[in-house]
Amino acid sequence: MTDCIFCKIIAGDIPSAKVYEDDQIFVFKDINPKAAVHLLVVPKIHLDSLESLTGEHQALIGHMILKLPELAKAQGLNNGFRTIINTGPDGGQEVGHIHIHILGGKGLAKFN
Ligand code: 5GP
Ligand code: ZN
């Protein structure tokens, strides 16, 4: 996907504040943080959204989710954190490469 901003970030063509990378995922700081800690966890392969997933992505999505507590704790979030996945226009998704937001620390608004 040549026009995908997150694919360009993963490739290093657009700079980002990377905090973690392995063979399957890339994790970096959100450019417009909504709380003291705001990370984006993205798969290295391009997938549009939750609606693009099939059974073949089960291990990848499992890997992303299982990494979340470790990523949050590495940012000092030792007392909990919030995760958000926006899906599609009505779900508020602005970047069409699936991503999990990790939010926490000062400035985290009450959600419900
Ligand atoms: P969405 O609304 O799609 O769930 O979230 C997209 C997120 O990507 C937003 O929070 C936005 O601030 C972030 N974002 C958009 N462009 C860039 C960028 O070029 N670099 C970084 N680090 N974050 C970005
Ligand atoms: Zn992409």
Side-chain angles (χ1 to χ4, degrees), residues 34-112:
K34 311 295 189 300
V37 175
H38 188 170
L39 302 181
L40 300 171
V41 182
V42 307
K44 286 189 167 176
I45 58 165
H46 180 92
L47 292 161
D48 291 346
S49 78
L50 283 182
E51 296 189 300
S52 313
L53 300 180
T54 68
E56 74 177 282
H57 304 117
Q58 200 160 344
L60 171 61
I61 297 306
H63 177 64
M64 289 174 73
I65 299 231
L66 289 171
K67 272 282 170 202
L68 297 174
E70 172 189 323
L71 292 165
K73 285 198 176 73
Q75 298 295 312
L77 302 177
N78 295 309
N79 202 32
F81 59 94
R82 179 176 299 159
T83 47
I84 297 174
I85 305 175
N86 294 321
T87 303
D90 288 357
Q93 185 177 4
E94 290 173 358
V95 176
H97 181 130
I98 193 171
H99 51 281
I100 303 176
H101 297 256
I102 298 178
L103 293 141
K106 205 167 176 336
L108 188 65
K110 191 162 163 51
F111 186 61
N112 59 12

Side-chain angles (χ1 to χ4, degrees), residues 1 4 6-7 46-47 96-97:
M1 263 260 175
C4 172
F6 286 178
C7 280
H46 180 92
L47 292 161
H97 181 130

